[in-house]
Amino acid sequence: MAVAVLRAHLDLQSTASHAVDFAHWLRTHRGAVVLAGLLAFAHSLISLVGALSVLPQVTLPLALTGTFKTVTLGIVDWPALLLTGYVFQRLSLTGWRAGVATCGLAACVAIAYASLPYLSAWGDMLEATTSGWGFAVTSALNGFMSALLFFAHLQRSHVHEEAAKRLAAAQRAQREARRRLAQGRLQAVQARIDPQLLFDMLDAVRRAYESEPPRAEQLLDELVAFLRAALPRLQHASSSVPREAEMACTCARLHALAAPPGASMALAVSAEVMDARFPPGVLLPLLNDALQVRAGACELSAARRAGACRLVLTLPARPSDATARRVRGLLNDLYGTAAELALADTGGVSRATIEVPYEHA
């Protein structure tokens, strides 16, 4: 008894799963649904119009009866086409097996087209023009041809879907390859920037020891803290907004101690982006390049804008075109057209606006 109940439960689950899959298939194949409807109603509607046009006298009851039966046949034939089309696509056959399945399913549709008109006494209504058997045979041939046309449409749609899937997979693979290449370039850029900053700061420490030993000690402590945070980044191509903001603050403090009165950094990071991913090696090249031109007050604001993470870096000088091109190239390799770097000079300061897709770190 328990086994029977369990088996019935599993059968219900399987039926529900097929029903859900069929509903999804209908939603994703709207063109096939429309075509099946046109084919289902076409033959019976044409037959009705032709029969009524040659009858010696058309009465209202006869016209209403014919219209009702036409709609009924179309309503029944439409799901028949859709169900056989669903089965045809789910079989996923190729070669001669696909041909055999096509003819077999088309024959099932033909039987439905032939038996329903005959059983519903279409011949009685059309006895002045044709017999019920004749109409049944014509319906069978029409059903067979309609099914073949419908299956050909589904097969062509399936080929297009498979081609679209292969194209999407190739595009994803290409984006992933470009992303890996960009990450390698990003690490290379970091490796070029951090040592250069290190050498500049070490030279600043040497010069500070000659004139202001306390400032030199403070600069050396900041440099050690900067290296402890920066060197692990060389092994990773991913970071976060808070981490990059802290690195920018540390870099500004280094420049301030290296050449007083120097740079300062004000932060305004929204809570919405505290867990957002942001690529390393984007802010520091812009900041370091601008501070080497002229020291001054800097500001970094970060906020979420729809599906993007937006950072605005205000600098005392405009970064060089070469640095901007390099950063744009890295952003394009990582995110394509979804990321953007815009530079604008207003009121004696330069603003670098960076937008990247929002991703959880």
Side-chain angles (χ1 to χ4, degrees), residues 228-252:
R228 283 176 177 171
L231 290 179
R233 294 162 67 250
L234 299 179
Q235 307 301 322
H236 304 281
S238 180
S239 185
S240 64
V241 170
R243 191 176 304 145
E244 291 305 301
E246 183 58 33
M247 290 296 300
C249 282
T250 306
C251 181

Side-chain angles (χ1 to χ4, degrees), residues 159-180:
V159 171
H160 287 174
E161 289 174 3
E162 291 299 319
K165 289 179 181 178
R166 289 194 296 270
L167 178 60
Q171 290 174 340
R172 285 195 299 271
Q174 183 183 29
R175 286 195 298 268
E176 184 60 28
R178 291 180 60 188
R179 190 181 186 93
R180 288 196 298 267

Side-chain angles (χ1 to χ4, degrees), residues 23-74:
H24 175 73
W25 184 83
L26 292 177
R27 288 194 302 270
T28 56
H29 293 76
R30 298 183 186 275
V33 173
V34 174
L35 179 61
L38 293 175
L39 292 174
F41 283 95
H43 175 64
S44 55
L45 183 61
I46 293 173
S47 299
L48 174 66
V49 173
L52 294 178
S53 65
V54 298
L55 287 175
Q57 183 178 3
V58 179
T59 63
L60 181 60
L62 183 63
L64 291 177
T65 301
T67 302
F68 173 75
K69 292 186 176 183
T70 298
V71 173
T72 302
L73 291 177

